[in-house]
Amino acid sequence: YSFCTLLGVQMAGTHDTTLLTEIEFENDIKRDPHALRYWWRYIQYKHKASAVERNQLFERALQHVPASYKIWFAYLQERMEQVKDRPVDDPAWEAVNRTYERAFVFMSKMPRIWQEYIRFLMRQYKVTDTRHAIDRALQSLPITQHESIWKASLEFMNQDYVPVDTACRLWKRYLQLEPHLMEDYVIFLRKHKRWNDIINAMITALNDPKFVSVKGKTRHELWVELCKHLSTQGDALKLDNTNLTVEKIIRSGIKKFPNEVGQLWCALADYNTRCGHFDKARSIYEEGLTTVSTVKDFTQIFDSYS
């Protein structure tokens, strides 16, 4: 036989072997179409097939084992990989979104799939859809699994394209679960100059006797920081608790820390100055000078007054 003839026989033999193997897989599936192991072995065997062919195989498998996390997760990962280099307005991205929605009919209790979907929507800059996905995930999962969703949500909240109001609403929900992260919320708010929200968040934290600063700040330092924010806002300030006033808040701080109140007296006087209440500001300075018990506080108030 010639070399070409032998080569042709060898190639034909290889093709026949592949065909026979696929027939074997198909026969296994026909015998027991609900056996996950047969579908998984078939999917692994076809790892070099085209994207269209593999997608068709995944879809066939899911018709028979629709509750298989293993197949859904692998399928969704492949579908995302297939579109990653396409522009986000390509219809193929929306087709993957629809595939995720079909998956949640069976996979709504799987936090990893929710996480992946939220991040996939973020890559498409879909603010409303991402927020709705976060809401649905939190509603579908037990509270013990919410932390994994909030990790993805924090990434979303810190994106520049997300409206600040949307991010603030999500932050407030997150703080109900993790109130000790108030200072991280304040950092976010300061970046966006949301002074009213900063003040209301700090008031809520300081009213909680169990609150402990994760940044290592003392309660006195937090009070001073709050009062500085209060003093700079003037009449523009809007408190969530309408029963509170700036004077009530600062004076309560003065009562809590009688030995370190110089900055608090100055903050109260500064607030009244900004509001145009000059006589009241003067009387507050004088009250502070006559009530403080340390030289440091006296000097601080006197320097500010003069």
Side-chain angles (χ1 to χ4, degrees), residues 123-175:
R123 287 162 59 189
Q124 301 170 66
Y125 307 102
K126 289 180 174 287
V127 174
T128 302
D129 289 346
T130 306
R131 181 170 55 81
H132 288 167
I134 292 169
D135 290 342
R136 290 164 55 203
L138 294 173
Q139 291 167 7
S140 299
L141 298 170
I143 195 167
T144 53
Q145 294 181 329
H146 282 193
E147 183 60 30
S148 60
I149 301 303
W150 281 116
K151 285 181 181 178
S153 302
L154 282 171
E155 295 173 23
F156 172 65
M157 288 184 268
N158 288 314
Q159 298 299 314
D160 291 336
Y161 64 84
V162 177
V164 180
D165 286 340
T166 298
C168 285
R169 284 194 292 271
L170 284 169
W171 258 111
K172 287 175 182 178
R173 290 176 63 186
Y174 187 37
L175 288 174

Side-chain angles (χ1 to χ4, degrees), residues 265-300:
W265 280 112
C266 291
L268 182 56
D270 185 36
Y271 170 75
N272 281 281
T273 301
R274 289 175 184 274
C275 291
H277 306 150
F278 302 111
D279 289 339
K280 188 171 183 179
R282 188 180 302 110
S283 66
I284 288 169
Y285 277 124
E286 292 171 357
E287 183 183 355
L289 289 170
T290 57
T291 56
V292 294
S293 57
T294 67
V295 173
K296 178 184 175 183
D297 286 337
F298 183 90
T299 304
Q300 195 169 31

Side-chain angles (χ1 to χ4, degrees), residues 228-248:
K228 283 181 178 178
H229 287 307
L230 286 167
S231 67
T232 59
Q233 293 309 296
D235 290 332
L237 179 62
K238 293 180 181 178
L239 297 174
D240 288 344
N241 186 342
T242 55
N243 294 322
L244 291 176
T245 65
V246 171
E247 184 158 353
K248 282 182 181 178

Side-chain angles (χ1 to χ4, degrees), residues 168 172 185-186 189 194-202 240:
C168 285
K172 287 175 182 178
Y185 178 43
V186 168
L189 293 170
R194 304 277 291 211
W195 308 116
N196 265 1
D197 290 322
I198 289 174
I199 289 166
N200 286 309
M202 294 189 71
D240 288 344

